[in-house]
Amino acid sequence: MDSQRIRNFSIIAHIDHGKSTLADALLHETGSLSARQEKAQFLDNMDLERERGITIKAQTVCLKYLALDGLEYQINLIDTPGHVDFSYEVSRSLSACEGAILVVDAAQGVEAQTLANVYLAIENNLEIIPVLNKVDLPQADPDGVKKQIEETIGLNCDGIIKASAKDRLGIRDILEAIVKKVPPPPDNKDKVLRGLIFDSWFDPYQGVVILVRIKDGQLKKGDHIKFMATDRDYEILKMGKFTPFPEPVDQMSAGEVGFIICGIKDIRDVKVGDTVTDTRRPALEPLPGFQKVKPMVFAGIFPIIASDFENLKNALEKLCLNDSSLTYETEKSAALGFGFRCGFLGLLHMEIVQERLEREFNLNLITTAPTVVYKVFLTDGSKFELENPSQLPIETAIEHMEEPYVKITLHTPTEFIGVILKLCEDKRGTQIKMDYVTEKKVMIEYKIPMNEIVMDFYDRLKSISKGYASMEYELLDFETSDLVRMDVLINGDPIDALSLIIHRAKAHTKGRSLVEKMRELIPRQQYQVAIQAAIGAKIVARETLGALRKDVTAKCYGGDISRKRKLLERQKEGKKRMKQIGSVEVPQEAFLAILKVED
């Protein structure tokens, strides 16, 4: 197709503002699905996405649209996630587009991720089309939200489109705006082939499937292509577009988006952000890829059955192909055996990865409590980055430690300001500013150690604000803090997977809460179990789990008391021996108890 009639665009918005419903409405309006095929959140094809009602993976679909000018256009839509943990998916999708539809809820207004995603779109020099969604709601305030967009984002909203994706209102106006305002891709079909890989996944029957945006030149079925980062050559066996179902095509030109299959079995040959070029006539310069994303949160993932280690390794390799923001390396724990130390973008990302591993690859896993990266400066002048608390050297060898700080932006109705400020102060936060966006809505900025928000901050924010507050964060820098390692000992043995790094001022209260929580979770044994929290050699908190006791004196129905005493003494000796050789089984909930502990 002539590149002048191709449009590539993304839908960006805060979580729950109606992106996936709008994508459904666009599929309906362009006649891409029959009435029998239509279903809510059609592009959210992962079970997890449908259960949680959120988009996790960006999805692409190629639509044919007959515009009012009588011409047929090829519109390539990329539906993106809205949650802060998946902003990397958004940035990758935007690099394959020329325009973006900014969806704002007419009742909720501008929220944290709205701003973050708009700035990503502006950085990519995209044409932004503002759309007010859910204008049919009784609490909608289109004029107030329009003014809010102009003031907080600085977009000209004179021609803002008022729509309701659920009731199919204003959908044709959106399609016309895409055709008129989003610029067509440059006509580079005569140049040397260069295509940007912006997503990939593993198919058990066809090998690696690659999503590519052709920037220059043309790509034909049967061509031999080269991946510039890994320097591997392959022949294209199959190529096509999602319309929204896979539809084979024989060639794609500059400006088009589609998938290619080369029968790749080794998933290390493909990297998201790499450039595809022609083997016979290769490009000299690769396309600018994506910044390597830095994981913010680290946790250990261990198989419950030791023989599942290889299966877990294969599963992580396949998942990394589909989710390039996930990192992992082998780790050994005295308590849990062999597993992997994984890096995630946030807590929700960690939850989703664990659920996908368990569901898609049938694995039973234990996940340890999440931690962030610390910089450790030693007395001998060296320094290193610490991801695993159990690897922290002894206190006398450490000169000082630095922890990462983030700037969090909170949008909340005014009635929750008090409780939210208290929560931020409890988490060692420093207020940067507070602005009233409207009479009923306020934007608060805080500087907070990342360690504090990674535990339970988001859950508590949602509960104290009855779900109305929204949050977005960005990494600021590392700063020196008085940090210590707290170990959990069970009958004197440290459980390395339960070690955590904590600010010294909070160590006693956190230790006390943690051992109390552990006492509830660890099952009682035939002998007494001591649960302790320790900093170095100093015990800061202790709880004792009472023994299960068999009534050995039941058969004594009278006679001398010394007989009963003898039986009880013998039982006591037996329990002592049992304690020496017995090991306490720690359930999965205990490893996540750290998350559930209230300060």
Side-chain angles (χ1 to χ4, degrees):
M1 181 177 263
D2 177 13
S3 64
Q4 290 302 303
R5 286 191 296 176
I6 295 173
R7 300 290 184 272
N8 296 310
F9 75 99
S10 247
I11 303 178
I12 54 173
H14 185 80
I15 191 167
D16 276 346
H17 280 208
K19 293 180 302 302
S20 298
T21 313
L22 177 59
D24 291 346
L26 293 171
L27 287 167
H28 172 83
E29 191 67 35
T30 53
S32 302
L33 295 172
S34 66
R36 186 175 57 82
Q37 292 166 331
E38 281 188 16
K39 62 179 178 183
Q41 276 83 45
F42 183 86
L43 295 181
D44 291 346
N45 50 23
M46 215 188 284
D47 288 345
L48 264 176
E49 293 179 312
R50 306 189 75 78
E51 282 169 26
R52 288 174 177 252
I54 58 172
T55 302
I56 294 166
K57 285 295 302 168
Q59 300 289 342
T60 72
V61 61
C62 175
L63 309 170
K64 293 276 193 294
Y65 173 61
L66 186 64
L68 296 177
D69 59 12
L71 296 172
E72 189 179 64
Y73 290 84
Q74 180 183 307
I75 296 176
N76 296 315
L77 148 70
I78 297 167
D79 181 27
T80 60
H83 198 282
V84 61
D85 281 14
F86 305 115
S87 55
Y88 188 56
E89 288 279 329
V90 180
S91 67
R92 283 178 10 210
S93 302
L94 295 180
S95 61
C97 301
E98 279 82 34
I101 292 178
L102 172 67
V103 179
V104 182
D105 188 321
Q108 302 284 346
V110 174
E111 299 206 52
Q113 275 306 106
T114 315
L115 290 170
N117 290 340
V118 165
Y119 294 144
L120 278 175
I122 291 167
E123 277 172 33
N124 282 282
N125 298 318
L126 302 190
E127 180 64 41
I128 298 168
I129 300 168
V131 170
L132 275 181
N133 193 23
K134 307 187 187 181
V135 290
D136 55 321
L137 291 179
Q139 66 269 38
D141 175 18
D143 296 329
V145 174
K146 177 185 165 186
K147 189 179 170 192
Q148 212 178 312
I149 295 169
E150 288 179 328
E151 287 174 2
T152 52
I153 301 171
L155 281 179
N156 179 7
C157 293
D158 289 345
I160 196 165
I161 300 166
K162 294 178 182 175
S164 166
K166 202 173 181 183
D167 292 346
R168 311 275 198 259
L169 292 175
I171 306 304
R172 189 158 272 271
D173 295 340
I174 294 171
L175 286 163
E176 284 299 318
I178 293 164
V179 166
K180 291 194 181 102
K181 293 183 181 175
V182 174
D187 188 6
N188 293 340
K189 64 163 78 79
D190 298 327
K191 290 189 176 180
V192 175
L193 169 68
R194 289 197 304 173
L196 176 72
I197 299 173
F198 66 94
D199 204 358
S200 60
W201 60 91
F202 189 81
D203 183 291
Y205 302 106
Q206 305 182 100
V208 179
V209 183
I210 302 157
L211 267 185
V212 64
R213 156 75 199 263
I214 311 294
K215 295 276 190 179
D216 303 327
Q218 293 183 322
L219 194 61
K220 295 187 184 72
K221 187 179 168 184
D223 280 357
H224 284 264
I225 56 165
K226 178 172 135 183
F227 299 109
M228 293 184 81
T230 53
D231 202 27
R232 298 304 299 262
D233 295 1
Y234 282 98
E235 181 190 348
I236 298 176
L237 305 175
K238 198 172 172 185
M239 57 195 289
K241 295 174 180 177
F242 291 103
T243 63
F245 302 103
E247 188 179 286
V249 296
D250 290 329
Q251 79 164 49
M252 287 192 288
S253 303
E256 295 190 87
V257 174
F259 65 87
I260 53 177
I261 295 167
C262 307
I264 303 168
K265 293 288 179 278
D266 188 351
I267 54 188
R268 286 178 289 257
D269 289 353
V270 180
K271 284 186 166 58
V272 168
D274 192 5
T275 302
V276 173
T277 188
D278 195 311
T279 306
R280 291 183 292 270
R281 198 170 144 231
L284 299 174
E285 285 282 312
L287 293 161
F290 308 111
Q291 265 185 320
K292 186 77 182 127
V293 67
K294 268 198 130 181
M296 294 277 121
V297 177
F298 289 85
I301 291 185
F302 296 86
I304 287 175
I305 304 157
S307 57
D308 272 347
F309 176 75
E310 277 302 316
N311 297 342
L312 175 58
K313 187 182 177 187
N314 294 336
L316 280 167
E317 278 182 355
K318 287 173 183 170
L319 207 56
C320 278
L321 188 69
N322 190 222
D323 180 358
S324 53
S325 54
L326 171 67
T327 64
Y328 65 94
E329 59 184 41
T330 313
E331 178 182 45
K332 185 178 185 305
S333 157
L336 301 171
F338 281 99
F340 292 93
R341 190 90 192 154
C342 299
F344 310 94
L345 296 181
L347 268 191
L348 178 68
H349 187 208
M350 179 181 119
E351 266 181 61
I352 296 296
V353 166
Q354 190 191 346
E355 277 199 54
R356 284 187 71 183
L357 285 168
E358 289 184 343
R359 284 187 190 200
E360 294 173 27
F361 302 97
N362 296 321
L363 293 165
N364 287 322
L365 305 170
I366 281 184
T367 310
T368 64
T371 64
V372 298
V373 185
Y374 298 94
K375 286 184 179 173
V376 182
F377 294 79
L378 302 176
T379 47
D380 64 4
S382 61
K383 66 170 184 174
F384 69 96
E385 289 195 346
L386 179 82
E387 295 163 10
N388 188 344
S390 63
Q391 290 169 357
L392 187 71
I394 55 168
E395 211 167 336
T396 51
I398 301 167
E399 187 186 290
H400 70 276
M401 284 173 70
E402 291 182 357
E403 65 177 331
Y405 274 73
V406 292
K407 181 176 89 175
I408 63 167
T409 308
L410 304 165
H411 287 250
T412 175
T414 47
E415 65 259 38
F416 304 115
I417 292 175
V419 283
I420 286 175
L421 292 182
K422 185 179 182 309
L423 173 65
C424 293
E425 295 296 331
D426 288 347
K427 297 286 185 183
R428 299 192 284 135
T430 310
Q431 192 174 319
I432 299 172
K433 67 174 183 182
M434 185 160 78
D435 290 334
Y436 280 81
V437 182
T438 64
E439 284 176 22
K440 293 183 179 176
K441 198 165 187 184
V442 69
M443 183 178 88
I444 306 166
E445 280 185 11
Y446 257 87
K447 179 179 156 187
I448 287 186
M450 187 159 193
N451 180 18
E452 298 286 349
I453 68 162
V454 99
M455 290 295 184
D456 58 349
F457 184 86
Y458 190 69
D459 292 348
R460 286 175 65 184
L461 175 72
K462 283 292 178 189
S463 64
I464 61 175
S465 67
K466 298 179 184 169
Y468 283 106
S470 66
M471 172 183 121
E472 201 263 324
Y473 62 84
E474 61 176 283
L475 188 66
L476 288 174
D477 207 351
F478 283 78
E479 289 188 16
T480 304
S481 281
D482 186 11
L483 301 167
V484 290
R485 184 179 90 195
M486 189 162 76
D487 294 310
V488 174
L489 314 177
I490 294 182
N491 276 348
D493 295 328
I495 307 291
D496 56 352
L498 285 170
S499 299
L500 72 152
I501 287 172
I502 192 165
H503 195 271
R504 197 184 294 274
K506 288 191 158 193
H508 283 73
T509 47
K510 189 85 169 184
R512 161 72 36 225
S513 315
L514 185 56
V515 293
E516 283 173 6
K517 191 81 184 169
M518 298 284 283
R519 186 178 169 218
E520 293 168 25
L521 296 170
I522 291 175
R524 287 172 74 188
Q525 310 293 316
Q526 295 280 347
Y527 49 87
Q528 216 177 56
V529 177
I531 305 164
Q532 297 165 309
I535 295 168
K538 185 184 176 187
I539 305 294
V540 293
R542 173 183 168 130
E543 284 287 327
T544 305
L545 189 65
L548 287 170
R549 184 175 155 237
K550 183 183 174 187
D551 190 1
V552 289
T553 60
K555 59 188 176 189
C556 301
Y557 45 87
D560 191 7
I561 185 70
S562 61
R563 190 167 168 229
K564 286 187 180 180
R565 203 166 279 148
K566 197 173 168 185
L567 288 168
L568 288 168
E569 285 299 320
R570 197 180 294 163
Q571 184 187 40
K572 205 170 171 184
E573 283 300 312
K575 285 192 183 295
K576 201 178 267 180
R577 273 200 309 279
M578 210 188 264
K579 187 174 180 178
Q580 285 166 2
I581 58 164
S583 63
V584 182
E585 221 173 77
V586 183
Q588 155 77 347
E589 297 80 54
F591 291 98
L592 297 177
I594 297 168
L595 292 177
K596 309 287 186 287
V597 169
E598 294 289 322
D599 288 326

